[in-house]
Amino acid sequence: MSQLNHIPLVRLLIPFIVGIIGVVYLKPNSDYLILGFGILATFYFTFLLIKRLNSNYQLRWMFGIIIYATTLLAGASLTSLKYKNTPATNNLLAQKNNQLLIGEITKPTQSKAKSIKAILNIKGIKTQSSWIEGNGKVIIYLQKDSLSNNLNVGDVISFEPRLENVPAPKNPNEFDFRKYLSFHLIHQQAFLRSNNWKLVQRAPTSGILKFANDSRTYLIASLKKQGITGKELAVASALVLGYKNSIDAQLKSAYSSAGAMHVLAVSGLHVGVIFLIFNQLFSFFEKIKHGKIIKGILLILILWAYAILTGLSPSVMRAATMFSFIVAAKMTGRVSSFFNTLAASALVLPNGSGRHLSCQPAKLSGRISYFSLDG
């Protein structure tokens, strides 16, 4: 137990994870969870203000129980808020009288053999009488054509509500892809031909994510200019930039059979290499006044710039967050614990990467209601 005293964030992470798992499998009422979290948090801060209580050594167990219970309910409440609207949204998406759906592409599209795969965040649902705001996520497979090939993160499309539930596994002990998607709040999918959808709004022409996407495209073009093509280009793009759209099924199967599929994914190893390289390059800053602070700020900016460039995958974000804590500790002259840093990254990482649409469904409805998908 004395060893755990040196890694307090690990002690907090355990009940936080228990709260998340409890909601996933038990699905309690979110209102009660939030109420309980608010009551316990109020008790804790009230006890802190009462000097006779917070200075009494014999009552330290009570503070420990309150802290653990509050952390558990914090994890449960955050997860429950994510799940809260999922059933209502699924029922709404399944209604037969829906005429149109509007969704924003939240992640880079993936090119399949005969289709383009995209993950959409539903922003609006048009029924026979009115527009209803939506907040669910679905997977769509678009027929390959010149328009679907050029879709980017942030593009808004409208499509016919031809949604189907993600099928259950067909074989015993098969990987349950439906359950995996449910953890990402995705329960439905659609296969759309070119005449079943329309592009409503292009992604903003400015912004950090747009700049990162353009930079990735430019770097891939630079690799092509160096004579790297075919499978070599696909592997290099995936290995360095996290761009996996060029990898065909045959190449994936070859790496999977060799047990080296993880090589094609940008991970914490890549972030670690970037950190080591620039940590050495910027070592001269330590010889000047306030050099540690300057070096630390530059390292954090470079780490997150690379994370954004590679698409902000969970593994890269986790590594970038961990190294950011390590750099921050060095800037302040403190020694960081690996386990404490890992727990801190787990606690502070955002639980969703979807971006908000700059234009609400109500503003888009005037443009959409005047055309038919059949025309």
Side-chain angles (χ1 to χ4, degrees):
M1 188 67 181
S2 59
Q3 292 180 346
L4 289 177
N5 291 333
H6 299 289
I7 45 177
L9 291 180
V10 175
R11 297 166 62 187
L12 292 178
L13 180 63
I14 294 173
F16 191 83
I17 293 175
V18 171
I20 293 174
I21 295 174
V23 170
V24 170
Y25 289 99
L26 301 178
K27 296 181 172 57
N29 188 297
S30 60
D31 295 331
Y32 293 145
L33 290 175
I34 297 172
L35 178 62
F37 170 72
I39 292 173
L40 284 177
T42 302
F43 277 152
Y44 176 71
F45 288 111
T46 301
F47 289 157
L48 283 181
L49 295 175
I50 302 175
K51 190 173 182 180
R52 286 185 303 173
L53 293 177
N54 63 45
S55 60
N56 191 333
Y57 185 75
Q58 293 181 342
L59 295 178
R60 69 190 186 280
W61 62 269
M62 183 175 63
F63 283 95
I65 291 177
I66 293 177
I67 290 174
Y68 289 140
T70 304
T71 308
L72 185 148
L73 288 177
S77 299
L78 288 172
T79 307
S80 183
L81 287 174
K82 278 287 185 182
Y83 276 98
K84 185 176 182 180
N85 295 321
T86 301
T89 300
N90 289 340
N91 293 335
L92 193 60
L93 294 177
Q95 290 181 8
K96 300 298 183 182
N97 62 343
N98 291 337
Q99 297 179 340
L100 208 62
L101 301 179
I102 307 174
E104 178 189 11
I105 299 176
T106 59
K107 293 185 178 180
T109 59
Q110 296 182 19
S111 179
K112 304 292 184 179
K114 297 181 180 180
S115 63
I116 301 294
K117 176 185 174 182
I119 296 178
L120 293 184
N121 188 15
I122 301 298
K123 294 297 183 179
I125 302 171
K126 188 179 188 301
T127 64
Q128 292 179 345
S129 58
S130 62
W131 280 94
I132 301 174
E133 185 177 358
N135 58 359
K137 291 194 293 185
V138 298
I139 293 178
I140 60 170
Y141 296 88
L142 304 171
Q143 181 182 354
K144 267 192 174 181
D145 56 30
S146 58
L147 186 58
S148 61
N149 272 319
N150 291 316
L151 289 175
N152 295 309
V153 175
D155 287 346
V156 180
I157 70 171
S158 63
F159 60 99
E160 294 180 357
R162 301 188 175 189
L163 295 171
E164 300 174 351
N165 291 327
V166 178
K170 294 181 173 60
N171 300 314
N173 300 320
E174 181 183 353
F175 175 70
D176 194 343
F177 188 60
R178 182 178 63 174
K179 186 175 182 180
Y180 168 79
L181 288 178
S182 70
F183 290 148
H184 294 79
L185 306 182
I186 299 175
H187 301 272
Q188 294 173 313
Q189 61 185 9
F191 299 85
L192 303 174
R193 295 186 178 276
S194 299
N195 62 340
N196 297 139
W197 67 279
K198 294 279 186 179
L199 176 64
V200 176
Q201 178 179 297
R202 280 291 184 187
T205 56
S206 60
I208 188 168
L209 291 178
K210 178 67 168 60
F211 176 76
N213 187 62
D214 292 343
S215 300
R216 185 162 55 244
T217 303
Y218 172 79
L219 291 173
I220 293 173
S222 299
L223 292 176
K224 290 181 180 179
K225 290 181 180 179
Q226 298 300 319
I228 303 176
T229 57
K231 294 183 178 180
E232 291 78 9
L233 176 64
V235 172
S237 300
L239 190 62
V240 179
L241 301 172
Y243 183 82
K244 295 182 283 188
N245 289 4
S246 301
I247 300 178
D248 56 28
Q250 184 179 3
L251 187 59
K252 285 183 180 179
S253 177
Y255 273 85
S256 179
S257 300
M261 190 64 186
H262 62 280
V263 174
L264 297 179
V266 174
S267 63
L269 174 64
H270 300 73
V271 180
V273 171
I274 296 292
F275 172 77
L276 290 174
I277 291 173
F278 283 96
N279 187 49
Q280 289 296 322
L281 290 176
F282 294 157
S283 58
F284 66 91
F285 279 113
E286 298 180 3
K287 300 178 181 179
I288 64 176
K289 187 178 181 181
H290 304 303
K292 285 187 177 180
I293 297 176
I294 297 173
K295 176 185 176 181
I297 293 174
L298 289 174
L299 283 174
I300 292 174
L301 289 175
I302 289 172
L303 289 175
W304 282 101
Y306 181 71
I308 294 172
L309 179 66
T310 56
L312 290 174
S313 66
S315 59
V316 172
M317 288 181 64
R318 182 168 56 248
T321 304
M322 289 179 59
F323 281 113
S324 295
F325 281 123
I326 293 173
V327 172
K330 289 185 176 181
M331 289 169 60
T332 57
R334 298 187 179 186
V335 178
S336 60
S337 165
F338 168 77
F339 296 104
N340 226 27
T341 304
L342 181 62
S345 65
L347 287 170
V348 304
L349 275 177
N351 56 1
S353 58
R355 298 182 297 114
H356 292 290
L357 181 63
S358 59
C359 190
Q360 296 300 323
K363 297 179 182 179
L364 290 171
S365 60
R367 297 176 56 187
I368 297 173
S369 58
Y370 290 103
F371 70 79
S372 168
L373 286 172
D374 296 327

